[in-house]
Amino acid sequence: MSRRKHSKIDSLPPDIKDTVEEMIRADFTYAEIAEYILEQTDVPISTASICRHARNLNESIETLRMAQENFRCIAEELNRYPDVDTTEGIIRLLSHYVLESIHNTPEEMWKSIKPEDLIKQATSLVKAASYKKNLDLKNEEIMDAGFEQVKTMVFEAMAKERPELYADVAKFLDEKRGETS
């Protein structure tokens, strides 16, 4: 398990830390940032410490950007296909990245990969997609059964309490069934 890195900048008061991180993003020199910290806190800090913090900050920002881009792609997919659920959107995005990675992998790297490993990974992907499809089918069956139960309950209640409405609805459905036959 990796340990979270703590820098001297992490221990600064929050307002000063925020300003320092803004200075890093605004491309101030590390010497200027060290001078600012010294002026604000009387705590000397090396430019190497600022550099390490900046590197970690930039990695965090890049990770956040990638996550936001992935969520944007998923949201676009879900907006484009409203019947697709979030899991399906994630699977589509991951499938795209997997295929893109496969396409961009140099041929010499393929030679170093064990075929068994590729088969295991492909099998895992197929199993995940199959499991998702199976869950979708089960959920659809449950919804259909629930709908049939509600429909039966409504028609039974309608036949008892509003027989004229029941007769009209039954006649309407019979006519529609005749049109589709």
Side-chain angles (χ1 to χ4, degrees), residues 43-56:
V43 174
I45 189 167
S46 70
T47 56
S49 291
I50 296 168
C51 177
R52 281 190 300 277
H53 186 81
R55 187 173 43 247
N56 291 335

Side-chain angles (χ1 to χ4, degrees), residues 4 22-23 32 47-48 63 68 72 91 98-99 130 136 156 165 169-170 180:
R4 187 181 180 303
E22 284 301 319
M23 292 172 80
E32 292 169 330
T47 56
T63 300
Q68 288 172 329
R72 186 190 61 73
I91 289 173
V98 166
L99 292 173
S130 176
D136 289 346
E156 286 175 359
L165 178 59
V169 171
T180 60

Side-chain angles (χ1 to χ4, degrees), residues 8-9 12 16-17 19-21 23-24 27-54:
K8 286 185 177 181
I9 293 174
L12 293 172
I16 295 174
K17 179 183 174 202
T19 302
V20 166
E21 290 180 348
M23 292 172 80
I24 290 170
D27 292 330
F28 280 76
T29 67
Y30 297 151
E32 292 169 330
I33 296 170
E35 186 178 314
Y36 169 79
I37 293 170
L38 184 61
E39 288 173 2
Q40 298 299 311
T41 64
D42 288 329
V43 174
I45 189 167
S46 70
T47 56
S49 291
I50 296 168
C51 177
R52 281 190 300 277
H53 186 81

Side-chain angles (χ1 to χ4, degrees), residues 56-69:
N56 291 335
L57 178 66
N58 288 334
E59 286 174 10
S60 297
I61 290 170
E62 185 56 31
T63 300
L64 181 60
R65 279 190 194 126
M66 286 176 61
Q68 288 172 329
E69 178 62 19

Side-chain angles (χ1 to χ4, degrees), residues 8-148:
K8 286 185 177 181
I9 293 174
D10 287 327
S11 62
L12 293 172
D15 60 325
I16 295 174
K17 179 183 174 202
D18 290 344
T19 302
V20 166
E21 290 180 348
E22 284 301 319
M23 292 172 80
I24 290 170
R25 286 191 281 274
D27 292 330
F28 280 76
T29 67
Y30 297 151
E32 292 169 330
I33 296 170
E35 186 178 314
Y36 169 79
I37 293 170
L38 184 61
E39 288 173 2
Q40 298 299 311
T41 64
D42 288 329
V43 174
I45 189 167
S46 70
T47 56
S49 291
I50 296 168
C51 177
R52 281 190 300 277
H53 186 81
R55 187 173 43 247
N56 291 335
L57 178 66
N58 288 334
E59 286 174 10
S60 297
I61 290 170
E62 185 56 31
T63 300
L64 181 60
R65 279 190 194 126
M66 286 176 61
Q68 288 172 329
E69 178 62 19
N70 287 339
F71 281 121
R72 186 190 61 73
C73 290
I74 291 168
E76 283 179 5
E77 190 75 8
L78 294 175
N79 287 336
R80 198 173 313 132
Y81 304 102
D83 293 340
V84 171
D85 68 6
T86 305
T87 306
E88 183 72 21
I90 291 169
I91 289 173
R92 286 182 184 203
L93 178 65
L94 289 175
S95 297
H96 167 74
Y97 286 145
V98 166
L99 292 173
E100 193 173 276
S101 293
I102 289 170
H103 177 74
N104 292 330
T105 301
E107 189 173 330
E108 56 274 0
M109 188 161 176
W110 285 111
K111 293 176 183 175
S112 68
I113 298 173
K114 295 179 184 176
E116 305 87 47
D117 292 341
L118 284 175
I119 292 169
K120 284 179 189 175
Q121 295 299 322
T123 302
S124 294
L125 286 172
V126 169
K127 281 181 181 178
S130 176
Y131 180 75
K132 166 74 170 83
K133 190 69 169 172
N134 190 21
L135 279 178
D136 289 346
L137 289 172
K138 284 180 182 177
N139 287 336
E140 188 174 326
E141 289 171 6
I142 290 168
M143 285 178 49
D144 287 347
F147 177 73
E148 286 300 318

